Amino acid sequence: LSEANKLQQTMPPAAEWLLDNEYMLESAARDVQKNLPLKFYKELPSLSSGKLKGLPRIYSLARHLVFHTDMRLDEESILAFIESYQTTNPLSIGELWVVPQMLRCVLLEGIAQIASRTMDDLREHEMADFWANRLITANRRDPNYVFSIMSELSKSRKDPSHYFATQLIDYLYDEGNVLGAVQSWLERTFHKNTAELGQQVTSRQTKDQLSIGNAFG
C-alpha cells in the first residue's frame, strides 16, 4: 500500500487509515509481545470444543466483544461485557489481567483482515485498468476486435470480484459499445445490474472504513 501510495495510485478508502497509523500497529504488537509472555499464555484456561478449540477462553470472549461492537470499544462496554459474562462463568485473575492484551490481539486481527481486503481491491483495480485499456485500444483500432478481447476476459476472469466489475465499468464509462458489452457480461455473471454491484462495493468499503476507524480509536 505504501508503494502504491508513492506511485499516486487510486487507493481504497481504508488504506488512508492504515498508512497514517502504521506506528500504532507496531506499538500495539510490541505491547502484546512484551506483556503477554508465552508461558503465561499457555497456562490460560482454553476451550475444549468449537472452532476455537485449544485457544484461550478469554481470547474467544475478546473476539465476541470486538466483532459484536464492530471494533468500537470503550471502558463502559468492556466492563459491562465482562461483568455480564461472570454472572454465570467466573473468570480467573489471570484471565482478567490479560483482557487488555487479548483485545489488542483481536483488534490487530480485525485490522489485518481489512488490510487484506484493501490489498485485494488495489490488485483488482490494477487488473480492471489492464483490461479496460485492452478493450479501448481494440475498439479504436477495429470494433470487431472487441469480441475477441471480451472472450479472453470472460475466460480469464470466470469469477470476477464485485470491485473489479465496478472499476471496469468506471474505466469504460465513456466508451459506448464497449461499455454495453462489458455490462451485459457482468450482469449475466452476477445476475444483477451493475448499479447494484456498485452499491454493494460502496457499502462494504464504507463499513470497512468505519470499522478500521473504530479499531484505531
Side-chain angles (χ1 to χ4, degrees), residues 3 14 21 52 85 89 93 112 115 123 134 151 177 195 202 209:
E3 289 300 316
N21 296 284
L52 301 179
Y85 181 83
N89 298 283
I93 293 296
R123 295 188 187 100
R134 290 196 68 192
S151 177
N177 293 335
T202 299
Q209 193 173 12

Side-chain angles (χ1 to χ4, degrees), residues 70-111:
D70 198 19
M71 298 202 282
R72 183 180 181 86
L73 299 177
D74 55 41
E75 183 178 356
E76 183 179 352
S77 64
I78 295 169
L79 289 175
F81 180 79
I82 295 298
E83 289 173 1
S84 175
Y85 181 83
Q86 289 201 107
T87 58
T88 54
N89 298 283
L91 296 167
S92 68
I93 293 296
E95 288 177 303
L96 291 171
W97 179 82
V98 84
V99 165
Q101 302 308 330
M102 286 299 174
L103 291 174
R104 285 189 179 92
C105 284
V106 177
L107 288 173
L108 285 169
E109 289 175 352
I111 292 171

Side-chain angles (χ1 to χ4, degrees), residues 144-155:
N144 291 321
Y145 288 160
V146 171
F147 298 104
S148 175
I149 302 299
M150 283 299 305
S151 177
E152 284 185 54
L153 173 57
S154 61
K155 289 176 181 177

